[in-house]
Amino acid sequence: MKTDIEPVLEKHPAASRDQLIPLLQAVQQEEGYLSKEAVIRIGRRLGLSASKVYGVATFYNQFRFQPLGKYHITVCRGTACHVKGSLSLLEAVQNELKIEPGQTTRDRLFSLETLACLGACGLSPVMCVNGEFFARMTPNKARKLIHDLRREAASQ
Ligand code: FES
């Protein structure tokens, strides 16, 4: 999903360096991630080098540098989910997709992230695909879900 970020930049006409985080958030909201081009243009807007902008953005794990996949998977790593085995769930997803949190598969089918709590602790461990919750997940259920999603994508 590539969009032009000019309208977003124009909404911050008086952007100063202390506007860097809000501007990064706004651009990510618009594009789904922070592209190289976006980082450069934000830097120009604020009089900062691209490496400075990138350095700040990588400090916060809310920012992504790759576009989201068709299926965006979130694995909860909050306390309740951790106690119920979310680490092995996450490892199963990572092994199946061969990516780390914050990354997108080469075929752009899957992206992965972790969150501290998805607000559904009673259903732990929880994972989410494009906003749909999957409760009491296990590594096997997660692998099956990913296989099903691959099949679904192949049939479209
Ligand atoms: S800790 Fe996972 S939903 Fe709250």
Side-chain angles (χ1 to χ4, degrees):
M1 174 178 57
K2 185 102 174 123
T3 59
D4 186 69
I5 62 168
E6 205 51 49
V8 178
L9 296 177
E10 282 169 5
K11 277 189 204 150
H12 294 74
S16 59
R17 288 171 184 216
D18 60 357
Q19 286 292 300
L20 176 56
I21 300 296
L23 199 45
L24 288 167
Q25 289 169 330
V27 169
Q28 178 163 280
Q29 174 83 21
E30 185 65 26
E31 287 203 301
Y33 74 112
L34 297 172
S35 65
K36 236 185 243 173
E37 184 198 339
V39 167
I40 292 168
R41 288 171 70 185
I42 290 168
R44 278 197 203 122
R45 185 94 183 169
L46 303 182
L48 297 168
S49 68
S51 61
K52 173 77 180 167
V53 174
Y54 187 72
V56 170
T58 51
F59 182 76
Y60 298 93
N61 61 10
Q62 65 178 293
F63 295 117
R64 304 182 47 82
F65 303 95
Q66 295 181 3
L68 294 182
K70 176 181 172 71
Y71 302 107
H72 182 58
I73 297 177
T74 308
V75 176
C76 182
R77 288 291 293 132
T79 306
C81 288
H82 178 76
V83 168
K84 295 280 183 73
S86 70
L87 181 57
S88 53
L89 175 61
L90 176 62
E91 286 169 350
V93 173
Q94 289 181 172
N95 288 337
E96 189 63 37
L97 299 179
K98 311 272 187 283
I99 56 172
E100 301 284 318
Q103 296 181 333
T104 301
T105 55
R106 280 183 174 195
D107 59 8
R108 300 263 172 102
L109 209 49
F110 296 97
S111 49
L112 174 63
E113 74 174 345
T114 57
L115 277 184
C117 178
L118 290 172
C121 307
L123 307 175
S124 61
V126 180
M127 68 185 261
C128 198
V129 181
N130 294 351
E132 183 181 349
F133 280 65
F134 294 86
R136 297 181 187 89
M137 289 302 281
T138 63
N140 277 343
K141 283 185 185 175
R143 280 188 282 268
K144 181 179 181 322
L145 176 60
I146 290 168
H147 289 174
D148 290 347
L149 293 173
R150 279 197 181 113
R151 209 171 304 126
E152 176 185 282
S155 70
Q156 290 173 347

